[in-house]
Amino acid sequence: MTTPIQNTPSTEPLPEVSDWWTTAISRIRPGEILLRGYPVEQLIGQASFPDMIWLMVRGDLPTRSQSQLLEAALVSSVDHGPQAPSIAASRMAATCGLGLNNVMATGVSLLGDTHGGAGQQCMQLLDDLIQQVGDDGDLDEAAEDIVATHRAQRRHIPGFGHRFHPHDPRRNPLLDLVADASTSGAVPGRALAAGTALERALAKGRSRPVPMNIDGATAIVYSELGFAPELGRGLFVLSRSVGILAHGWEEKSGGTRIKGPIPRRLLPSYNGPAPRDLQPEGTA
Ligand SMILES: CC(C)(COP(=O)(O)OP(=O)(O)OC[C@H]1O[C@@H](n2cnc3c(N)ncnc32)[C@H](O)[C@@H]1OP(=O)(O)O)[C@@H](O)C(=O)NCCC(=O)NCCS
């Protein structure tokens, strides 16, 4: 005779099960949603969306000036038009009948080291520069060394240069906010100093300076706020997701079906073999 299986839920939680996803982020129980210890009903209406990002990722609520700086950076990079591959790809995905979740995932999946990754790389560079210089070193000298090394290796400094903005319109407002926050003591100001030192070093001896771009400016903000470089990438993705959603929705609402990367009347250039006949087997 087989013993019947007990289906009654145990009142004693098994530690190896309940500890499987141990988390300090949230506690969810019937009728209770605690986020980093705060009941969600108290956060609703009191915490802004940037506050929530900070709370969830960092563990506690930001000060007002930290939250405002984070918000400014998130606002600045929401969109760069359909010429950005991530936006174009999400619009194409929308015309292929995908749901909005897959439309957004298509765009976000294109954000990698080359497209959308310069912010994280710039944060790492700023961090390295700050560490290298320490309290007494010469920031401008160290920045010039970095630029010289990159030039010798024919590498671009991440966060600088732009295909068509001679001056990125997002640079000044962001840097002005960081400068104000630094003056009031809300942020240390070291990343701002390091970023502008790199900018000066890049401009030295050139008639056409290499402007700081959005990735450089947001890298300064996120570094000043103490985010790890990899989180900088995550924050950029959060911000750009807004543009991806808007563009995906616009394209979906337009009703065009299966839109390719170039207008239909144009054909991609072909540089393969000239047309040739496949010889029947054994006749070659
Ligand atoms: C964005 C980018 C691809 C634009 O490139 P581009 O407009 O084709 O610029 P070019 O590569 O033709 O560079 C023009 C000149 O500026 C220099 N330059 C441009 N960006 C540079 C950078 N980031 N670091 C060092 N020098 C740079 C080039 O060496 C070149 O110098 P030259 O006139 O002496 O030959 C390029 O600046 C880059 O790769 N930047 C780093 C990555 C980055 O921040 N990406 C985010 C963009 S929003």
Side-chain angles (χ1 to χ4, degrees):
M1 204 179 114
T2 51
T3 320
I5 297 167
Q6 292 277 325
N7 268 337
T8 330
S10 164
T11 47
E12 287 300 315
L14 297 169
E16 69 268 33
V17 176
S18 46
D19 291 352
W20 189 256
W21 295 119
T22 292
T23 175
I25 299 173
S26 44
R27 191 174 80 186
I28 316 292
R29 293 173 171 183
E32 179 192 74
I33 301 174
L34 284 191
L35 301 173
R36 295 290 191 184
Y38 292 109
V40 74
E41 59 271 28
Q42 292 177 23
L43 292 165
I44 296 169
Q46 289 201 76
S48 68
F49 196 56
D51 287 344
M52 286 309 292
I53 295 171
W54 188 295
L55 175 67
M56 295 299 279
V57 174
R58 304 280 287 266
D60 221 332
L61 284 163
T63 63
R64 185 147 172 70
S65 55
Q66 286 170 330
S67 179
Q68 283 172 339
L69 257 188
L70 174 60
E71 184 170 34
L74 291 168
V75 165
S76 69
S77 38
V78 288
D79 187 21
H80 202 253
Q83 61 272 54
S86 50
I87 301 282
S90 62
R91 294 191 72 122
M92 260 193 279
T95 70
C96 296
L98 303 190
L100 262 186
N101 55 330
N102 292 63
V103 166
M104 292 184 73
T106 301
V108 167
S109 300
L110 254 67
L111 299 172
D113 283 345
T114 307
H115 171 39
Q120 176 181 348
Q121 293 150 8
C122 185
M123 285 175 78
Q124 192 59 61
L125 190 65
L126 295 174
D127 200 33
D128 293 346
L129 180 53
I130 292 166
Q131 298 300 326
Q132 184 189 330
V133 166
D135 290 333
D136 319 315
D138 186 326
L139 202 47
D140 282 301
E141 203 176 281
E144 282 170 26
D145 285 349
I146 288 177
V147 168
T149 311
H150 275 70
R151 281 208 178 120
Q153 297 170 349
R154 305 185 66 76
R155 287 193 295 141
H156 285 105
I157 306 259
F160 296 86
H162 209 287
R163 288 249 150 89
F164 55 85
H165 295 308
H167 296 285
D168 193 314
R170 300 161 289 189
R171 176 206 178 276
N172 289 355
L174 284 175
L175 264 51
D176 288 349
L177 288 172
V178 177
D180 289 347
S182 169
T183 306
S184 70
V187 296
R190 293 291 283 159
L192 176 64
T196 48
L198 280 170
E199 194 174 40
R200 278 192 299 279
L202 271 166
K204 215 169 176 180
R206 290 182 61 88
S207 54
R208 198 162 60 96
V210 180
M212 183 185 295
N213 59 40
I214 182 64
D215 292 310
T218 50
I220 288 176
V221 174
Y222 297 144
S223 299
E224 288 289 351
L225 292 175
F227 285 97
E230 200 166 355
L231 276 177
R233 171 93 56 107
L235 293 170
F236 173 69
V237 171
L238 283 181
S239 167
R240 186 50 61 87
S241 293
V242 176
I244 289 174
L245 172 64
H247 280 275
W249 181 241
E250 182 182 63
E251 194 64 56
K252 230 174 144 52
S253 311
T256 308
R257 296 178 74 243
I258 317 178
K259 197 164 163 182
I262 52 175
R264 265 176 217 164
R265 63 186 177 78
L266 302 176
L267 293 174
S269 306
Y270 172 73
N271 66 356
R276 49 186 166 165
D277 293 320
L278 179 64
Q279 302 300 327
E281 209 173 318
T283 61

